[in-house]
Amino acid sequence: MKKSYIVILLAGFLLSAVGFGFMQIFASEKEEELVIEKDRAKQLDVKMEFGAGEFTLSGGSKEWITGSANYNHRKLKPKIEYKQKNDRGVVKVVQNEGINFGFNNFRNLHNSWDLQLTDEIPVNLDVDLGATEALLDLRGVQLHSLNIDSGVGDSTLDLSGEPKNSYKAKIDMGVGDLTIYVPESYGVKVSAEKGLGQVNVPNLISQGNGIYVNEAYNGKDFIELTIDMGVGNVDVLMK
């Protein structure tokens, strides 16, 4: 995510404060169950787009995806798409585009997802977050690749445990604080680029040029983690 997007996002909120009028009263809160059932797919490509609120994602689902969404306006209702291409399942869980609540109504917003992914097959996971408090506990999920693009908010990402394979993870953080947990007994390589923030990597070994590894790193089997930080702090901790 380009950091200029954050400026545009914040500017949009201010403009909305002047010209709002989209809606004065929110509806009562609704809870909706989200399920994508298992089929014969051997790998999943998962795309999630979440606008604003609280986002929680973990493993352990008995289906491909299970969970719930809570929201207090019909335009926050998530849209779910799934199709199978040969042995690959393609998943999209997104919110409606172009939602503009205005600044005053934004304060009354309630929106949260609590989702679980399968642990049974490899997953290419792409998560796009807006103004969000996020917890992604991906221990046990068979990640094949991971991409997280976060706008504004504080996030926790848990990649600890014992991965079944090497994979690349890219984290693009706009504004906020991010805590990442990585395994101590499995190789980890961290490449960090920072804007106005700070990247803290205690107990990792510097290789220069913003690259850090843990003691288990052997150059063969490892998590390759790339962090692009805008404004805020990132803590990479072993667990």
Side-chain angles (χ1 to χ4, degrees):
M1 171 184 294
K2 296 182 178 178
K3 301 306 174 291
S4 59
Y5 171 77
I6 303 304
V7 175
I8 294 171
L9 177 66
L10 295 176
F13 287 156
L14 294 176
L15 290 174
S16 296
V18 176
F20 88 97
F22 177 81
M23 176 179 171
Q24 296 295 326
I25 301 175
F26 280 92
S28 59
E29 186 170 321
K30 296 181 180 180
E31 179 174 356
E32 183 169 342
E33 183 181 3
L34 307 178
V35 179
I36 296 178
E37 297 180 348
K38 290 169 57 176
D39 56 16
R40 296 183 179 181
K42 297 181 179 179
Q43 181 170 303
L44 293 180
D45 294 340
V46 179
K47 173 69 174 180
M48 295 184 177
E49 296 179 2
F50 182 82
E54 299 178 356
F55 179 87
T56 302
L57 179 64
S58 59
S61 175
K62 301 301 182 183
E63 305 291 343
W64 289 157
I65 291 180
T66 52
S68 61
N70 290 268
Y71 52 92
N72 62 346
H73 189 275
R74 60 183 177 80
K75 284 187 173 290
L76 294 171
K77 178 183 175 68
K79 181 179 180 181
I80 305 174
E81 297 179 2
Y82 179 76
K83 56 185 176 182
Q84 187 178 351
K85 295 182 178 180
N86 298 322
D87 61 352
R88 185 184 299 267
V90 179
V91 178
K92 288 187 68 175
V93 185
V94 302
Q95 282 184 326
N96 291 325
E97 297 180 358
I99 298 176
N100 182 5
F101 292 103
F103 183 77
N104 289 335
N105 284 326
F106 185 80
R107 294 181 302 173
N108 298 318
L109 170 72
H110 180 78
N111 185 37
S112 65
W113 292 2
D114 186 358
L115 304 178
Q116 298 83 46
L117 274 171
T118 181
D119 296 342
E120 296 182 15
I121 60 176
V123 175
N124 294 304
L125 178 59
D126 189 344
V127 180
D128 195 343
L129 304 173
T132 311
E133 299 291 322
L135 171 61
L136 295 90
D137 184 354
L138 302 180
R139 293 173 295 173
V141 177
Q142 294 188 46
L143 291 173
H144 190 263
S145 67
L146 173 65
N147 184 75
I148 299 174
D149 198 339
S150 181
V152 180
D154 297 337
S155 301
T156 299
L157 171 63
D158 196 336
L159 301 176
S160 64
E162 190 69 26
K164 294 184 180 297
N165 53 267
S166 298
Y167 63 89
K168 294 183 179 181
K170 182 178 180 181
I171 316 300
D172 196 335
M173 189 79 181
V175 179
D177 295 332
L178 171 63
T179 301
I180 304 175
Y181 294 101
V182 297
E184 184 174 6
S185 59
Y186 191 87
V188 176
K189 179 182 179 181
V190 178
S191 301
E193 296 182 9
K194 60 181 180 179
L196 300 178
Q198 183 174 349
V199 179
N200 305 304
V201 286
N203 302 317
L204 295 182
I205 304 165
S206 175
Q207 293 191 326
N209 298 319
I211 298 175
Y212 306 86
V213 299
N214 63 356
E215 291 186 358
Y217 176 77
N218 59 12
K220 297 179 181 179
D221 301 317
F222 61 96
I223 299 171
E224 184 174 350
L225 178 59
T226 302
I227 304 169
D228 189 352
M229 183 67 198
V231 180
N233 297 299
V234 176
D235 295 314
V236 182
L237 307 174
M238 288 193 295
K239 184 177 177 181

